[in-house]
């Protein structure tokens, strides 16, 4: 293989780098009020969106504070007010979710009492109702025998050609006529 072919192969095999950051959960313990902790978590979420961070790793210096990922995802465990890791994780998950999906994915929880203070992160997948885009985030709201209906943030539900269990978050490829009708591709 000559140098030109090797260079060409090297260019095609590289992919975009993944940007990850690690944040200590104790950062929020500097702020003694939940509203300030919520604001700081929201500012971190917004900054990570602006700088296109793909992954945020939260770590704790306190071994007693570490919890299983499925516990955080379920968001149903009780914890002491001194534990900032679950609180921080919930705030970041909430900020990442498009506004029209939040009510369905995040049940009422004391950690969300100040969620109204969170600034919008304006992530690319946070679509406004009038915005046409090739893909939209959604949640399955109804499953039929051969189709599913998804809320993708439009005034009407979007019909998907396959049955998908209700409550799942999905990314839907949209057709241009989907913004007038209800069928995605």
């Amino acid at each position: 293989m000559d140098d030109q072919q090797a260079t060409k192969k090297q260019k095609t095999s590289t992919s975009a780098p993944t940007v990850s950051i690690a944040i200590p959960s104790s950062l929020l313990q500097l702020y003694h009020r939940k509203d300030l902790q919520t604001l700081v978590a929201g500012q971190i979420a917004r900054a990570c969106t602006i700088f296109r961070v793909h992954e945020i790793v939260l770590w704790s210096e306190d071994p007693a504070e570490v919890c299983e990922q499925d516990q955080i995802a379920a968001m149903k465990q009780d914890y002491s007010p001194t534990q900032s890791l679950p609180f921080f994780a919930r705030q970041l998950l909430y900020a990442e979710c498009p506004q029209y999906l939040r009510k369905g994915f995040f049940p009422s929880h004391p950690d969300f009492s100040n969620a109204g203070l969170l600034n919008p992160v304006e992530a690319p997948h946070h679509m406004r109702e009038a915005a046409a885009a090739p893909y939209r985030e959604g949640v399955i709201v109804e499953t039929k025998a051969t189709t599913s209906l998804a809320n993708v943030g439009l005034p009407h539900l979007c019909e998907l050609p396959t049955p998908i269990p209700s409550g799942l978050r999905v990314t839907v490829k949209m057709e241009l006529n989907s913004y007038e009708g209800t069928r995605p591709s």
Side-chain angles (χ1 to χ4, degrees):
M1 189 184 311
D2 64 359
D3 289 336
Q4 270 187 333
Q5 289 176 332
T7 306
K8 187 175 181 179
K9 184 177 180 181
Q10 187 178 25
K11 284 182 182 178
T12 59
S13 66
T14 60
S15 61
T18 298
V19 179
S20 300
I21 63 169
I23 303 172
S25 64
S26 61
L27 175 73
L28 293 186
Q29 292 175 353
L30 297 173
Y31 306 94
H32 299 289
R33 294 185 357 222
K34 287 290 183 195
D35 60 339
L36 294 176
Q37 292 176 346
T38 301
L39 282 171
V40 169
Q43 289 173 342
I44 290 170
R46 177 72 178 130
C48 289
T49 301
I50 289 170
F51 292 104
R52 298 182 180 192
V53 173
H54 297 99
E55 178 183 42
I56 301 172
V57 178
L58 296 177
W59 59 278
S60 176
E61 297 141 347
D62 181 7
E65 189 177 49
V66 177
C67 56
E68 297 295 322
Q69 176 139 3
D70 60 342
Q71 289 176 321
I72 292 173
M75 288 190 258
K76 293 184 179 172
Q77 79 276 15
D78 293 323
Y79 63 94
S80 146
T82 61
Q83 287 188 311
S84 54
L85 182 66
F87 177 83
F88 206 167
R90 283 188 188 94
Q91 299 304 315
L92 292 175
L93 288 169
Y94 188 85
E96 183 276 334
C97 188
Q99 288 100 335
Y100 58 89
L101 296 179
R102 289 178 180 165
K103 189 174 183 180
F105 283 118
F106 295 94
S108 179
H109 193 281
D111 282 353
F112 299 130
S113 61
N114 294 308
L117 298 173
L118 289 171
N119 292 320
V121 294
E122 299 289 333
H125 66 283
H126 289 206
M127 305 300 302
R128 291 200 162 74
E129 186 176 304
Y135 296 95
R136 291 184 76 97
E137 293 287 319
V139 61
I140 302 298
V141 294
E142 185 180 338
T143 303
K144 298 180 180 180
T146 59
T147 62
S148 302
L149 295 176
N151 173 6
V152 292
L154 297 174
H156 55 275
L157 295 177
C158 198
E159 187 176 351
L160 304 178
T162 47
I164 301 170
S166 294
L168 287 181
R169 186 170 172 176
V170 294
T171 301
V172 179
K173 183 176 180 182
M174 305 296 290
E175 294 176 348
L176 290 177
N177 63 357
S178 296
Y179 291 95
E180 293 127 20
T182 59
R183 281 204 182 267
S185 60

